[in-house]
Amino acid sequence: MNEQLATPGTSGPAGRRTPVPASSANPDIQRAQLTVYVVDDDLAIRDSLSLSLSLRGYHIAQFASAEDFLNVFDAAWMGCVIADIRMPGMSGLQLQGALAARGSKLPVVIITGHGDVNSARAAFRGQAIDFLEKPFDDEQLINAIETAFQHELGRMNVLAGKARREAMVSSLSPREREVLRHLTRGLHAREIGEQLGISHRTVEVHKAHIMEKLGVRSVIDIVRMGDLLAE
């Protein structure tokens, strides 16, 4: 039976921690928001991994099958997936592929008691963080999780930074956005004024407002934000 989702920040059955989606209102992605999603049909292994990892301070969510995981999967989840390669129904490799098909970048660690070269190659072709054969050393798993978390934190912080910049751009007035578009093309104030039918002094005023709202100090910084202006 898969873990039932509860209100973010609460616990599910048997005190197991439930996945906590990241808040889009919070641009700072903290380690505490990351969850290890354990997907394995063997209850004893799920419980053993969950206990071992929770004692080390990790937030855990358990699932008895890949299907159970995908049925409740939320693109906002952050952390990493630990999936057994052989399960009734969808395998760990198929789960990895299903996540990729959904556009998910959630890192995956594949574990197996039946390792072979072809399976390992398939896992790594799918961008798996690691491929661990049971019985594996605890430190091997911890190292894989830490590698996955570093990937995840880096990726999510980049996305959060982009979201902050997009919010800044959206705060601009229509005229300021027009001026900004021309600035990102490398035009000077007089050239922009001619394009928009306003004086270069007015352009300079708009530019000052733009720089203040965007929190930048130079036109070069403005040019770097040009990709955010795509409609």
Side-chain angles (χ1 to χ4, degrees):
M1 179 176 67
N2 67 297
E3 181 180 8
Q4 299 298 310
L5 297 184
T7 302
T10 65
S11 295
R16 298 184 180 118
R17 183 182 177 89
T18 55
V20 182
S23 170
S24 59
N26 180 7
D28 298 315
I29 307 304
Q30 301 296 329
R31 183 184 174 87
Q33 293 178 277
L34 301 179
T35 297
V36 178
Y37 303 94
V38 179
V39 185
D40 197 309
D41 62 301
D42 188 320
L43 176 60
I45 291 178
R46 288 202 313 274
D47 284 345
S48 175
L49 285 176
S50 297
L51 177 60
S52 175
L53 294 174
S54 63
L55 289 175
R56 289 176 177 259
Y58 293 101
H59 302 153
I60 308 299
Q62 293 187 33
F63 297 89
S65 70
E67 289 85 353
D68 286 346
F69 177 84
L70 291 173
N71 283 340
V72 294
F73 173 70
D74 189 319
W77 288 358
M78 297 180 297
C80 74
V81 176
I82 298 176
D84 188 22
I85 198 170
R86 288 192 180 181
M87 296 181 285
M90 185 179 288
S91 71
L93 290 179
Q94 289 173 321
L95 171 59
Q96 182 184 19
L99 287 171
R102 295 188 182 196
S104 171
K105 300 297 184 182
L106 198 62
V108 176
V109 176
I110 297 293
I111 60 175
T112 179
H114 311 278
D116 62 78
V117 173
N118 289 335
S119 295
R121 285 176 176 169
F124 287 122
R125 279 199 303 269
Q127 304 301 310
I129 292 296
D130 210 339
F131 185 93
L132 303 178
E133 293 187 53
K134 304 172 186 175
F136 45 78
D137 184 88
D138 284 351
E139 291 307 314
Q140 287 181 290
L141 182 59
I142 297 302
N143 288 339
I145 292 172
E146 288 301 315
T147 298
F149 275 16
Q150 289 305 310
H151 280 256
E152 190 76 335
L153 286 168
R155 180 179 69 85
M156 298 309 295
N157 278 317
V158 167
L159 293 176
K162 183 177 180 180
R164 287 196 298 271
R165 292 191 297 273
E166 289 175 341
M168 291 176 184
V169 171
S170 68
S171 72
L172 302 178
S173 70
R175 176 61 87 183
E176 288 168 347
R177 289 179 67 86
E178 287 182 320
V179 172
L180 178 56
R181 285 192 181 91
H182 289 297
L183 286 171
T184 59
R185 291 168 51 201
L187 298 184
H188 297 292
R190 290 188 182 277
E191 296 171 311
I192 296 173
E194 292 173 358
Q195 291 278 338
L196 299 180
I198 57 179
S199 72
H200 74 277
R201 290 188 178 85
T202 300
V203 173
E204 291 290 355
V205 171
H206 285 309
K207 185 172 74 172
H209 291 164
I210 291 167
M211 294 176 68
E212 180 180 2
K213 290 181 179 181
L214 299 185
V216 298
R217 297 183 177 182
S218 70
V219 175
I220 293 177
D221 292 331
I222 292 178
V223 172
R224 289 170 179 161
M225 301 183 73
D227 61 318
L228 300 180
L229 299 176
E231 297 294 342

